[in-house]
Amino acid sequence: MISTLQKTIRPMLAARGLHKSAVEVLKSLTPEDTVTASFGKFISELKPQHLSPVVLHRSKRMVLDSIGVGLIGSTTDVFELALQHCQHMYAPDDISSVYGRTGTRLSPTLAAFVNGVATHSMDFDDTWHPATHPSGAVLPAVLALSDMMPANRKPSGLDFLLAFNIGIEIQGRLMRFSNEAHNIPKRFHPPSVVGTMGSAAACARLLSLDPSQCSHALAIAASLAGAPMANAATQSKPLHIGNASRLGLEAALLASRGLEASPLVLDAVAGVAGFNAFYEDYVPQSLESPSDNGHMFLLEEQDMAFKRFPAHLGMHWVADAAASVHKLLVGVGPGKVSPDQVEDIMLRVPKSKYINRPFPESEHEARHSFQFNACSALLDGEVTVDSFTPAVMSRPDLFALLSRVRLEHPHDNPANFDCMYGEVQVTLVGGDILKGRCDTFYGHWRNPLTNESLRKKFRNNAEAVLPSEKVEMLIDVVEELDKFGDCRDLLSQLQ
Amino acid sequence: MLRKGITESFGAAIHALNTTQLTDGVITRSKRMMLDTLGVGLLGTRTAVFNKALKYSQMFTSEERSSVWGKADVALPPHYAAFVNGIAVHSMDFDDTWHPATHPSGAVLPALLALVETLPRPPSGLDLLLAFNVGIEVQGRLMRFSTEAYNIPERFHPPSVVGVMGSAAASAKLLGLSPAQCCHALAIAASSAGAPLANAATQTKPLHIGNAARTGLEAAQLALAGLEGNPAILDMHSGFGVYYKDYSPAAMADSASGGFRWILEDQDVAFKRIPAHLGMHWVVDAALAARVKLQNTDGPFDPSLIRSVTLRVPLSKYVNCPLPATEHQARHSFQFNACSALLDNKVTVDSFHHAQISRPALRELLSKVKVETPEENQPSFDKMYCEVEIETHQGQRHAARCDTFYGHWRKPLSQEDLVEKFSVNASSVLCTEGVGGVLYAIGDIERVRESSVLSSYLRMTNRAVLQHGETLSSHRI
């Protein structure tokens, strides 16, 4: 029986016109069994009832945090630059709104772009495990697309959340295809790899594309993915998220017009790289179609980290460790820490070149510097948004402390957000040694921000550009998003 | 390993290269590339993929607009003009190919022409020619940073890696960016490079070139606006090096010193006679020669007399397709191109129409094809060969081998044949005045005062296009 099935499959596969190596991949599967097809099917067929209460709760927190971070991000130079670029290159369009700019609207993909840039502009957005910044790639695209849809056919709040969660889920699934993804990245900046795919998936869902079109959206997006790590810690980094959002939306729009791409983009075909071009090791797995029993979202098993200050996630460990040393110092002597007290500062941190910067010269570099964040927390007791402003960055006291820092990379401290720790050891003039250690900072998925802390962060961020009534309304709207008839209320509050 | 100054040297060179450094050899060769690219692009505006991209792009509005080739009444925001025109150029796999392998011109020319139309003072033809050559040169330099680039690719589609960098460099040149800004343009562009090979042989492949053109232009404009990236992007393994397994970057020679030499001077491009992957040209020439041998002994060609056809080709999985179903697959199939050549005694633009692909006679012949990949047949456009051996039912064997097809850089198309290819292609959408205008503007580009005149010729469509609007391919891709 099986042998006759094989015999009929082979000419059928050949008749589908596939290249020889692709035929090899499909020999043991029917064409619909490919990993790529399973993803397309999942995106198209998932239903709102598959969203569990935990997933709804967690994803609403992500939506709130992402909006807040995007709003404060709209005050940055890089956002201004990106916005002016879009307005200069393209005429005003009255379709999709822009964070923090009442009355400014752009074409959907451009709005997704600038809002994505805003979201990542200060490195203040959420971080997941394996590492990426999932929401900034998805939310701006979903918002922009919702703005694009006709007034009488806007998605319901629940549809909106479903699309958003699909965008997150796809990213999580893709990262689990390789071991490389589990550690602090060295080659491609993860949001530029999986973020684009997540955005494409979310938008494909919102556009109600069929399974085949959803697959093609992913494949088209793959050709738009991938940016090198070297641009992290530069002013260009936020564009990785902006582009992920924009290009994923574009891929979905092109797929909706019938553009087709590789039907095996997620599968591993020897000699012809697809999505695996971005990874050294790659073992793809099909996504099961959701059954009546529901679907176990990765977000249910693995929560999100939210940042308390705008810097690379790794900084939060050393900041918390240094803050505890600050408390000890302040408790002992006068209420201020002075560099004259300090002889030596030793940081025990994971080895990672791009967050090891002894003397950062820009805010972008400072957000990616173990040394800077440790010293700031040592001096001030905490790191905040203001810690990265030019005046605060160039304090002589800070520089003096920075000159006294040494780094150690213990073998038991891997470059992995699930396992790492940060230790700060301060040797005082006089010989006393003060130590602080942080295994899990407050905000990490193991020690999540309370709803109260999350809202406080949101208020601080959103009030940079919106009046407090609107800020409170936004909190309520997001909280009730799955219960509202349509997402118009969310869209209107953002303008 | 960090080698200081490589990116810096590129930024300095892009900024400093000037028209006096254009040699006669480079001028001649690059003009041929521009002409071929325009013809191929014009023909490409009739494809389904182009029309999908055009419809998509029309959702954007802008104040500045640039021409869409082959369209009298449609203009788009400059980035999207670069996008769709780039797609048109690569839509039929008919555009130029270089060594190491990439399609250099399609990523650069559409971006430059779109940009030209937005500048307050249109650059001269010579300025355009210089910027074009800068874009080509940068691509050539970058490909020489790795040995991986010398063979038929497996991971990233080369135009998506180096094409966007070339477009950024060319656009930066035309915009007159400072050396530092040129570096940042390259850095910003690098974050948009790299599309997986799996999308080659699909309808999305042309977007690799379209996106390279558009995104490179955007990178230059963002750099002009002050955006910064990593100023050592080319120096670092975690920079541009991420796209290659082995990566050894080298600085660009100081263009002011006597030491500067354009790569194009030493390494010409190949122009295609057939709208298909370059490898197909070898197998077609070999098939045609084998066919002649068969006819000389056995009389007029009759496919039913054939027992088997053996192809000896280099190992390259993405052009080994036994039974292509779409035009994109057919353009990437040794088997298909060999059989088309045998059946029709030629392979042309029309060979890839759906009706032709699905002919029973062709399918029948395809079923008789065997492919061998001898180890000494290296998957490199500089070294490969193709052999076609026909065996008849009587046991007669006729074999022929092609080492260098006509159009390859070792055996370049004559100027007459290049112009003929252009004219045939361009006439499919332009009227005679338009065709003649482009020939003149490119032929005499060193003396053209305002390069924007080129775009006006590209809009002089013929009556058929005006009447029917977009001429869509009728078959589903």
Side-chain angles (χ1 to χ4, degrees), chain A residues 457-468:
Chain A
K457 176 186 172 185
F458 178 78
R459 284 188 187 98
N460 284 340
N461 288 342
E463 278 167 11
V465 290
L466 292 179
S468 28

Side-chain angles (χ1 to χ4, degrees), chain A residues 194-209:
Chain A
V194 296
T196 319
M197 308 294 278
S199 170
C203 294
R205 176 41 186 252
L206 211 58
L207 286 167
S208 304
L209 301 189

